[in-house]
């Protein structure tokens, strides 16, 4: 039996998720209709962000750690439905940032199916993955983009997924597609009136954000675009993509004011709100500085990695709530993302302070859970501007699956072991390394 101290709450989380399973013609999915309460359409039930593709990641990890076959069986059954969604004519996920987006579109489906395939291989999974990957290559526009939005939430994520799986599934032209997209990114580098270089990952008009501003975070902002360029250089051998990241680290330093490295959510800033999480805060931007330190000889990258983590201290997260750390405990914008950062930082530095911070964050997560002898889940006000809308989301980025997954990950690390699946933009080790 596993010694992972978070296995009991993870099993309770799975029990709760099981209550939302819906049988389909091809397999199963999860009913996420109560994950969100608001005026706009929510993400697709197949998506990596909120639906089956992400929930599958949790079930695969739980199967491995618990040794219980039923969790793998659940993931495989969900895989059958995901494959069926991908194999229809003109597949599309509802409310995807772009057709082949990773968190909200078909790239996330391909990734989930590949993870399932590693544990339980079926030709139908191969067929669905191959169809999506070939679609990415053939649907690329002449200018090198897919949607025209270069952030990881859109075309950047598409490229990272193609880079991860293109060779494995023998996709013709995958590297050429990455080079074309990399050149498209380079053509969209901008310089402001202070001489600072930046990229706009997503035009905020698509998400109802303020016009004339851009997001400073990772999946929508400059650091995520620069991270993508580093990975494209690694995948293609084209060093001009590394050159394209020059000035991005300095952008964050220039506009930072105060202890650590923490920028307001929007730039230019008039709201004075600093997000903490993956989507808009240090949890995300730290990934770029780590990848920059790993791939280049930039002497300041390690300092900025540590400074980004220290930025959490400025607003006392996760101990204290703030405008940019509202009633959310999820992976995307809340506490589970902070846990993921501290655990990753410990893995790459062996700094015991990061492990201690991870353990303190995990304690907070467990305390905030709604649980009884059978079930565990987390109530959250997912929308910052509508705190009255309290829901208990199921998914990996938005809810219980992601929270429980990162608790499990910490439990493995505490026992000097780890074997997990990392997202395409998560640069920390997936497997335990002695003397890390």
């Amino acid at each position: 039996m596993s010694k992972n101290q978070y296995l009991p709450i993870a099993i309770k989380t799975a029990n709760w998720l099981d209550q939302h399973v819906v049988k389909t013609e091809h397999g199963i999915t999860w009913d996420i209709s109560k994950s969100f309460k608001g005026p706009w359409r929510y993400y697709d039930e197949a998506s990596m962000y909120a639906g089956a593709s992400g929930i599958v990641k949790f079930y695969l990890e739980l199967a491995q750690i618990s040794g219980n076959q039923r969790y793998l069986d659940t993931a495989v059954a969900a895989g059958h439905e995901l494959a069926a969604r991908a194999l229809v004519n003109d597949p599309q996920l509802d409310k995807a940032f772009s057709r082949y987006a990773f968190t909200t579109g078909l790239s996330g489906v391909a990734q989930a199916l590949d993870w399932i395939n590693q544990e339980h291989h079926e030709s139908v999974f191969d067929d669905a993955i191959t169809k999506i990957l070939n679609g990415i290559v053939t649907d690329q526009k002449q200018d090198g983009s897919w949607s025209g939005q270069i952030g990881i939430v859109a075309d950047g994520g598409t490229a990272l997924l193609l880079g991860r799986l293109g060779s494995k599934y023998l996709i013709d032209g995958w590297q050429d597609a990455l080079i074309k997209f990399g050149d498209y990114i380079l053509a969209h580098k901008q310089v402001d009136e202070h001489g600072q270089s930046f990229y706009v990952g997503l035009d905020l008009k698509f998400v109802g954000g303020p016009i004339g501003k851009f997001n400073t975070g990772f999946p929508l902002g400059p650091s995520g675009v620069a991270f993508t360029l580093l990975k494209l250089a690694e995948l293609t051998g084209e060093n001009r993509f590394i050159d394209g990241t020059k000035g991005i680290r300095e952008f964050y330093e220039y506009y930072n004011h105060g202890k650590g490295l923490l920028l307001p959510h929007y730039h230019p800033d008039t709201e004075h709100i600093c997000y903490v999480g993956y989507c808009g805060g240090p949890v995300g931007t730290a990934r770029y500085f780590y990848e920059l330190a790993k791939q280049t000889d930039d002497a300041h990258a390690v300092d900025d990695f540590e400074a980004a983590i220290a930025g959490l201290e400025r607003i006392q997260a996760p101990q204290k709530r703030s405008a940019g750390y509202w009633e959310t405990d999820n992976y995307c914008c809340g506490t589970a993302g902070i846990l993921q950062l501290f655990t990753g930082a410990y893995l790459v530095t062996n700094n015991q302070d990061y492990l201690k911070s991870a353990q303190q964050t995990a304690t907070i997560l467990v305390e905030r859970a709604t649980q009884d002898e059978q079930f565990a889940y987390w109530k959250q006000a997912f929308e910052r501007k509508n705190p009255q809308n309290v829901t208990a989301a199921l998914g990996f980025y938005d809810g219980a699956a992601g929270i429980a997954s990162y608790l499990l990950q910490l439990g493995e690390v505490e026992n000097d072991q780890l074997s997990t699946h990392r997202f395409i933009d998560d640069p920390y080790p997936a497997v335990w390394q002695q003397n890390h």
Side-chain angles (χ1 to χ4, degrees), residues 10-202:
I11 289 172
K12 289 184 193 180
T13 303
N15 291 342
W16 183 73
L17 291 169
D18 287 343
Q19 299 296 301
H20 299 80
V21 166
V22 177
K23 289 186 178 174
T24 67
E25 179 186 350
H26 302 282
I28 65 162
T29 190
W30 285 265
D31 177 4
I32 65 168
S33 60
K34 293 191 172 68
S35 284
F36 177 75
K37 186 163 49 177
W40 46 279
R41 231 166 60 251
Y42 202 47
Y43 303 109
D44 197 290
E45 66 181 19
S47 69
M48 184 67 79
Y49 192 95
S53 292
I55 296 172
V56 155
K57 182 180 190 298
F58 166 60
Y59 273 80
L60 289 171
E61 291 173 354
L62 185 56
Q64 181 187 48
I65 293 167
S66 69
N68 192 326
Q69 177 71 25
R70 85 174 181 87
Y71 300 123
L72 177 58
D73 292 343
T74 298
V76 171
H80 290 149
E81 172 62 19
L82 289 171
R85 286 287 304 270
L87 288 168
V88 299
N89 286 328
D90 196 30
Q92 179 76 41
L93 266 58
D94 196 32
K95 205 173 176 291
F97 280 114
S98 56
R99 180 189 291 267
Y100 297 105
F102 183 79
T103 48
T104 57
L106 289 168
S107 287
V109 172
Q111 177 63 91
L113 290 171
D114 176 67
W115 285 333
I116 297 167
N117 228 1
Q118 292 175 39
E119 307 299 326
H120 175 94
H121 180 260
E122 292 190 27
S123 60
V124 70
F125 299 152
D126 289 338
D127 293 344
I129 295 164
T130 302
K131 181 183 177 187
I132 292 169
L133 295 175
N134 279 323
I136 291 171
V137 173
T138 58
D139 290 355
Q140 187 178 30
K141 295 178 183 176
Q142 202 64 37
D143 63 10
S145 75
W146 287 274
S147 71
Q149 303 298 312
I150 58 177
I152 287 174
V153 293
D155 293 357
T158 303
L160 291 174
L161 186 278
L162 182 62
R164 174 177 280 187
L165 298 183
S167 175
K168 179 177 181 179
Y169 288 91
L170 307 176
I171 304 302
D172 288 339
W174 70 271
Q175 274 189 312
D176 290 340
L178 295 188
I179 291 170
K180 280 175 66 179
F181 177 62
D183 286 330
Y184 181 82
I185 293 178
L186 296 182
H188 286 78
K189 193 173 191 178
Q190 301 182 52
V191 180
D192 67 16
E193 68 273 19
H194 299 288
Q196 301 304 307
S197 299
F198 65 96
Y199 293 98
V200 176
L202 187 78

Side-chain angles (χ1 to χ4, degrees), residues 227-385:
F227 177 95
T228 301
L229 284 170
L230 290 176
K231 299 304 286 186
L232 292 178
E234 186 178 57
L235 289 159
T236 66
E238 299 289 338
N239 286 331
R240 65 181 182 280
F241 298 144
I242 293 178
D243 293 339
T245 69
K246 287 178 179 170
I248 303 303
R249 174 181 58 73
E250 291 85 351
F251 170 88
Y252 284 89
E253 293 173 357
Y254 184 86
Y255 288 108
N256 179 64
H257 304 290
K259 182 184 177 184
L261 194 56
L262 181 70
L263 263 60
H265 186 52
Y266 296 125
H267 183 85
D269 175 42
T270 53
E271 289 85 359
H272 313 304
I273 296 174
C274 295
Y275 278 29
V276 302
Y278 160 78
C279 58
V283 171
T285 54
R287 296 180 179 191
Y288 170 58
F289 300 125
Y290 171 67
E291 190 66 26
L292 186 65
K294 198 168 74 169
Q295 284 207 38
T296 73
D297 57 2
D298 188 327
H300 299 281
V302 172
D303 293 339
D304 284 351
F305 173 67
E306 294 171 351
I309 300 171
L312 293 169
E313 297 173 19
R314 192 195 306 175
I315 45 176
Q316 297 173 268
Q319 287 77 16
K320 185 180 175 183
R321 296 289 191 186
S322 62
Y325 177 44
W326 61 103
E327 298 296 322
T328 54
D329 290 312
N330 61 331
Y331 163 59
C332 180
C333 38
T335 318
I338 297 173
L339 171 59
Q340 185 269 347
L341 169 61
F342 283 138
T343 306
Y346 169 66
L347 285 170
V348 298
T349 66
N350 204 24
N351 184 331
Q352 294 294 316
D353 289 341
Y354 291 144
L355 177 60
K356 184 179 177 183
S357 293
Q359 291 167 328
Q360 291 170 343
T361 306
T363 298
I364 290 170
L365 277 171
V366 173
E367 288 172 350
R368 289 178 182 168
T370 299
Q371 61 175 317
D372 57 24
E373 304 234 324
Q374 190 175 8
F375 302 117
Y377 56 93
W378 285 262
K379 294 178 181 176
Q380 306 175 98
F382 182 72
E383 280 191 291
R384 175 172 63 83
K385 296 177 181 177

